[in-house]
């Protein structure tokens, strides 16, 4: 059995949101402890992960150091965080497997994902990233061609494109590593946003890709049996935050699409997970589970989480 596990932000940062290197290492140790159980149970595991807080930190460095070293573009931030988080996750996984007297080779792959250069996000960016700054601090960046939005009391925030992921360009490499027995960490942050020009040349672009939608695409590209979206809640919930809140257990993809259409899932958080789950199930007929890290082994056995299936 082959499982793709998409790790959310809580797998890589402290519960209070702090992202010092030691926070990220401890969070990865907790996450990889759960993943090691999955590996030991005989499942072929592929991992992907978010990178929002890490890219946010790189952007602050870009801003503060712009007069001294050249700022790096967003696709480079994506590549850097894939490599760094891959390194942290591999160390944590090796240690967790060693505690179980097991060894399994792992590999972290810098992974590009194709997007359309004509995606509407490039002319009308909608995805807020990085920290809030004052109007005075936003102006020089706007002068450099960046798009910033006045978000009222909190200050100004940068908007970038969040294009639809079309193809995991490096999926063949992921597949080769899986087939060679590696636990593969790939497509972090949804993949490095990349466009292909008319001559077929690939080039990174200033954009971010939704991690959950990137995970669904990777899951489809490397033929996984189950996609597990691991976050900080054990279920997707109907009426979230209301007195009628009810966790969703087993559900069909058609029912889940209905719930989404009724606005049960917030657009910046649970919404993309539900969309990713539905896309994967609709495209493959296989199952997707949305749950928390502590439940992933049970989720793979069909005993925990929000289990979205074809029927
Ligand atoms: P991740 O880092 O794993 O992507 P997110 O914060 O983006 O995590 O998404 C998980 C969060 O989604 C939960 O912590 C919860 O606050 C929020 N959320 C919004 N709507 C729902 C819902 N209907 N059911 C469950 N969680 C929801
Ligand atoms: Mg999220």
């Amino acid at each position: 059995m082959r499982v793709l596990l998409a790790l959310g932000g809580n797998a890589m940062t402290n519960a209070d949101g702090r992202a010092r290197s030691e926070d990220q290492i401890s969070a990865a140790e907790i996450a990889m402890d759960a993943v090691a159980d999955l590996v030991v149970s005989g499942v072929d595991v592929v991992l992907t992960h978010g990178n929002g807080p890490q890219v946010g930190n790189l952007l602050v460095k870009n801003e503060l150091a712009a007069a001294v070293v050249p700022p790096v573009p967003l696709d480079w931030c994506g590549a850097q965080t894939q490599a760094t988080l891959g390194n942290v996750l591999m160390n944590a996984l090796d240690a967790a497997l060693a505690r179980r007297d097991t060894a399994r080779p792992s590999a972290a792959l810098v992974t590009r994902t194709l997007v359309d250069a004509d995606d509407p996000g490039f002319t009308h960016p909608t995805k807020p990233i990085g920290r809030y700054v004052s109007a005075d601090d936003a102006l020089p960046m706007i002068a450099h061609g960046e798009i910033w939005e006045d978000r009222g009391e909190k200050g100004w925030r940068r908007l970038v494109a969040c294009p639809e992921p079309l193809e995991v360009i490096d999926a063949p490499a992921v597949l080769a590593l899986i087939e060679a027995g590696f636990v593969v960490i790939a497509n972090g942050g949804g993949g490095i946003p990349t466009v292909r020009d008319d001559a077929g040349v690939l080039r990174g672009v200033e954009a971010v890709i939704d991690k959950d939608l990137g995970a669904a695409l990777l899951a489809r590209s490397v033929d996984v049996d189950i996609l597990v979206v691991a976050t900080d809640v054990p279920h997707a919930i109907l009426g979230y935050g209301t007195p009628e809140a009810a966790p969703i257990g087993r559900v069909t993809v058609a029912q889940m699409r209905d719930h989404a259409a009724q606005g049960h899932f917030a657009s910046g958080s649970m919404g993309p997970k539900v969309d990713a789950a539905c896309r994967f199930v609709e495209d493959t007929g296989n199952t997707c589970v949305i749950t928390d890290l502590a439940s992933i082994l049970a989720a793979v056995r069909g005993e925990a989480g929000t289990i979205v299936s074809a029927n």
Side-chain angles (χ1 to χ4, degrees):
M1 160 138 51
R2 185 178 295 170
V3 171
L4 175 66
L5 182 65
L7 300 169
N10 67 308
M12 301 304 309
T13 50
N14 205 332
D16 65 9
R18 284 205 291 182
R20 298 171 306 174
S21 52
E22 57 265 43
D23 299 323
Q24 298 190 47
I25 290 168
S26 322
E29 284 169 351
I30 295 169
M32 291 307 101
D33 219 43
V35 171
D37 285 336
L38 201 56
V39 172
V40 168
S41 79
V43 169
D44 288 335
V45 179
V46 187
L47 295 169
T48 190
H49 56 83
N51 66 354
Q54 291 78 12
V55 168
N57 285 352
L58 291 177
L59 293 174
V60 174
K61 289 190 193 175
N62 268 352
E63 282 167 33
L64 297 181
V68 187
V69 288
V72 299
L74 272 175
D75 51 311
W76 284 32
C77 293
Q80 289 174 11
T81 58
Q82 285 183 347
T84 308
L85 294 175
N87 172 45
V88 168
L89 291 171
M90 285 196 297
N91 287 343
L93 181 60
D94 283 350
L97 288 171
R99 285 194 294 278
R100 290 159 177 80
D101 293 321
T102 310
R104 195 64 195 271
S106 58
L109 195 70
V110 172
T111 319
R112 298 162 296 177
T113 290
L114 189 70
V115 301
D116 184 351
D118 295 325
D119 191 284
F122 290 109
T123 40
H124 295 98
T126 53
K127 173 76 180 173
I129 60 164
R131 61 175 185 167
Y132 291 87
V133 303
S134 69
D136 281 351
D137 287 339
L139 278 175
M141 264 91 76
I142 295 169
H144 275 105
E146 292 183 4
I147 295 178
W148 286 69
E149 184 183 50
D150 184 354
R151 315 264 292 188
E153 281 197 348
K154 285 179 149 177
W156 287 63
R157 206 159 176 218
R158 184 176 175 195
L159 294 179
V160 298
C162 186
E164 184 67 28
L166 300 178
E167 179 196 327
V168 180
I169 296 168
D170 298 298
V174 180
L175 208 46
L177 285 163
I178 298 169
E179 282 164 2
F182 285 77
V183 175
V184 192
I185 302 160
N187 217 37
I192 302 167
T194 302
V195 296
R196 184 180 278 132
D197 72 14
D198 293 339
V201 177
L202 296 173
R203 173 174 58 84
V205 284
E206 284 280 335
V208 295
I209 297 176
D210 182 85
K211 167 265 288 175
D212 296 309
L213 297 184
L217 187 62
L218 177 64
R220 207 176 63 193
S221 312
V222 300
D223 284 329
V224 307
D225 300 295
I226 304 178
L227 168 62
V228 178
V229 180
T231 184
D232 56 358
V233 286
H235 300 92
I237 293 169
L238 293 177
Y240 182 71
T242 72
E244 290 79 43
I248 306 170
R250 287 187 175 276
V251 64
T252 69
V253 66
Q255 288 168 329
M256 206 56 173
R257 285 288 191 201
D258 276 349
H259 296 322
Q262 285 161 23
H264 282 285
F265 313 117
S267 63
S269 53
M270 187 52 70
K273 296 182 200 309
V274 170
D275 193 15
C278 292
R279 289 182 186 197
F280 174 71
V281 175
E282 286 160 354
D283 287 345
T284 63
N286 295 347
T287 299
C288 174
V289 190
I290 301 171
T291 193
D292 59 8
L293 269 175
S295 310
I296 58 175
L297 195 56
V300 165
R301 294 179 177 147
E303 295 163 1
T306 296
I307 306 173
V308 187
S309 55
N311 40 50

